[in-house]
Amino acid sequence: MSVSHVLAPHAPLFAGIESAAPDALLALIGLHAADPRSGKIDVGVGVYRDEAGATPVLAAVKAAEHQLLEQQTSKSYLGPEGDVQFTRLLADILFGTEFARAPGLVGLQTPGGTGALRVAAELLAQAGAGRQVWVGLPTWANHIPLLAAAGLRVREHRFFDGIRSDLDFDGMIAALSEAQAGDILLLHGCCHNPTGISFSHDQWKQLAGLCVSRSLFPLIDIAYQGLGDGLREDAVGMRLFLEHVPEALIAYSCDKNFGLYRERVGALWAWTRSREVGGRVMSQLCALARVNWSMPPDHGAALVRLILSDDALRASWMSELEAMRQRIAALRVHLGSSHPKLAPIARQKGMFAMLPILPDAVAALRQEHAIYMASNGRINVAGLSESSIDRFCDAIRSYLSDGQSA
Ligand code: LMR
């Protein structure tokens, strides 16, 4: 008897599965690669590029890789919390050494900032059925799908004024008057993706007051530390905020500031009210890590640990990061001075900026000028160079609109 006669017939499972919608942002990588035109400009996906358009491995990372190759004696498991020393050293960079030692602060290594966000969202979903998370628009393309996939109900609030191409802080606060006690508020720690907005210190304090008075739980996503105003400067506002709120979750990415994109290096911290609460929260975060990826990949986090624990490597990394930051800042100034409608870009921070441009224009720029950007008009400023920026500005000039209300 053949096997097919023994097994009971069953309905074909895969046949009923529909294709997932393609990720429009990641699709740009393939579209740009397939374009044979010379002089094409890629301001799509957010990776840092140097003047020559390359995304090189940082010298500090290369040196740390050599050290790791020489020194590593085992590839045995580390555990769901990953590399504990990595998380400690990174906490010093993010929170400052004093806050980083606070008894209520606990953290673990995660696969990228995305892994951190996913575990954070799952913890929040488990902590209360049907929790709502407030997300300002526009936001990183993966935020809303990720938060919804973890079981949170997403509520959108006003954040960006598309006419002025700037933060509408009053509009944001007014929209959040609808938030209920226990709701979650997603905040970008600095260099907002996609608008390049960093909150002022005063705005951070007002947001802390709002979270305390309305009992909102803050979830902070910080993925660009060091690419806005500087390593310490980009964290100061968030540090002020944390001094005023009793609880928070903070997701961190080393993709951009260490150039470790494909190595998937991130961390998640919980700011809790006490060592005892922190211990319980940490045990849940580890349990969530265990069911998601068991243990995070080691290589990239080991490199960050080596860089941060060696004075010479740390200094090398900091100067490379500073060079990236200054290149982006110079490109922002150039863009901002090229047209009055782009002026806010010079004041905004980090890799990303929103152009006041309609989706049809984005498509036309791709077809006619081989310029690749996200369909909402977001550009990766670091994709430009001093040799391409004037051509870029000339190409977009006739497409600049009076802005869209977000
Ligand atoms: C981006 O926003 O372009 C990057 O953060 C890459 C990504 O994962 O979306």
Side-chain angles (χ1 to χ4, degrees):
M1 192 185 295
S2 75
V3 171
S4 59
H5 289 121
V6 176
L7 295 174
H10 59 82
L13 187 138
F14 290 148
I17 290 182
E18 289 175 7
S19 299
D23 185 301
L25 185 65
L26 298 185
L28 283 177
I29 300 174
L31 289 175
H32 176 262
D35 190 331
R37 289 174 284 182
S38 65
K40 56 190 176 178
I41 296 176
D42 181 7
V43 284
V45 175
V47 291
Y48 178 80
R49 295 185 196 284
D50 63 17
E51 184 60 26
T55 306
V57 180
L58 299 189
V61 166
K62 269 282 178 215
E65 281 185 313
H66 285 299
Q67 273 192 25
L68 194 64
L69 196 63
E70 296 285 310
Q71 294 169 6
Q72 196 171 49
T73 53
S74 175
K75 299 255 182 216
S76 179
Y77 295 128
L78 285 179
E81 66 273 51
D83 186 327
V84 172
Q85 189 60 6
F86 153 84
T87 312
R88 262 194 214 124
L89 290 163
L90 200 58
D92 289 345
I93 298 273
L94 178 59
F95 301 109
T97 44
E98 197 180 327
F99 192 91
R101 302 281 171 275
L105 186 73
V106 292
L108 74 168
Q109 183 204 329
T110 57
T114 306
L117 285 167
R118 176 71 195 210
V119 160
E122 287 187 9
L123 183 81
L124 292 166
Q126 283 182 6
R131 270 187 182 262
Q132 295 196 123
V133 54
W134 290 83
V135 179
L137 292 188
T139 193
W140 177 46
N142 207 19
H143 270 149
I144 292 177
L146 181 152
L147 295 166
L152 296 170
R153 275 193 296 139
V154 177
R155 294 285 305 268
E156 297 165 354
H157 69 79
R158 183 159 172 85
F159 175 80
F160 189 64
D161 179 344
I163 310 288
R164 289 187 303 110
S165 286
D166 223 334
L167 172 66
D168 178 6
F169 192 71
D170 292 344
M172 171 178 177
I173 299 293
L176 288 170
S177 67
E178 278 184 49
Q180 309 289 314
D183 284 359
I184 301 146
L185 176 61
L186 175 70
L187 297 168
H188 297 226
C190 65
C191 310
H192 183 275
N193 178 0
T195 66
I197 284 161
S198 286
F199 293 124
S200 68
H201 295 177
D202 191 52
Q203 287 165 342
W204 274 113
K205 283 189 202 155
Q206 288 188 55
L207 288 167
L210 178 83
C211 287
V212 171
S213 64
R214 308 290 309 277
S215 293
L216 306 182
F217 184 95
L219 168 59
I220 301 175
D221 183 10
I222 178 157
Y224 309 98
Q225 189 188 1
L227 290 169
D229 286 325
L231 205 49
R232 196 191 69 84
E233 292 81 353
D234 288 345
V236 171
M238 186 206 70
R239 291 179 193 175
L240 282 173
F241 175 88
L242 290 175
E243 279 172 20
H244 291 90
V245 297
E247 299 185 312
L249 281 162
I250 305 104
Y252 193 92
S253 169
C254 297
D255 287 14
K256 274 66 175 184
N257 56 2
F258 284 86
L260 283 167
Y261 309 90
R262 69 177 71 159
E263 298 292 356
R264 312 311 301 135
V265 191
L268 174 67
W269 287 274
W271 169 230
T272 72
R273 290 166 199 249
S274 69
R275 187 187 301 276
E276 194 266 322
V277 176
R280 281 187 279 128
V281 172
M282 182 68 180
S283 74
Q284 289 295 345
L285 293 175
C286 287
L288 286 168
R290 177 75 170 139
V291 296
N292 274 288
W293 45 78
S294 186
M295 302 170 207
D298 177 66
H299 185 76
L303 300 177
V304 172
R305 167 174 48 77
L306 288 173
I307 291 170
L308 295 182
S309 51
D310 177 302
D311 286 347
L313 287 185
R314 179 192 279 251
S316 160
W317 166 64
M318 285 175 71
S319 76
E320 288 179 283
L321 178 60
E322 180 59 14
M324 291 195 264
R325 187 188 78 75
Q326 285 186 12
R327 201 181 93 76
I328 292 173
L331 290 164
R332 283 188 168 278
V333 170
H334 196 138
L335 271 176
S337 61
S338 72
H339 194 285
K341 286 181 182 161
L342 302 183
I345 293 177
R347 294 193 303 277
Q348 292 157 356
K349 315 284 176 194
M351 267 185 170
F352 301 112
M354 289 288 286
L355 298 183
I357 202 166
L358 298 167
D360 284 356
V362 172
L365 283 163
R366 193 157 68 226
Q367 274 143 27
E368 287 159 32
H369 300 273
I371 291 175
Y372 287 78
M373 71 179 71
S375 59
N376 62 357
R378 185 197 82 167
I379 58 164
N380 167 21
V381 177
L384 295 169
S385 65
E386 287 305 332
S387 58
S388 68
I389 193 166
D390 287 331
R391 190 158 49 84
F392 177 82
C393 291
D394 287 345
I396 65 171
R397 188 161 288 124
S398 62
Y399 294 104
L400 294 175
S401 69
D402 287 330
Q404 310 163 54
S405 49

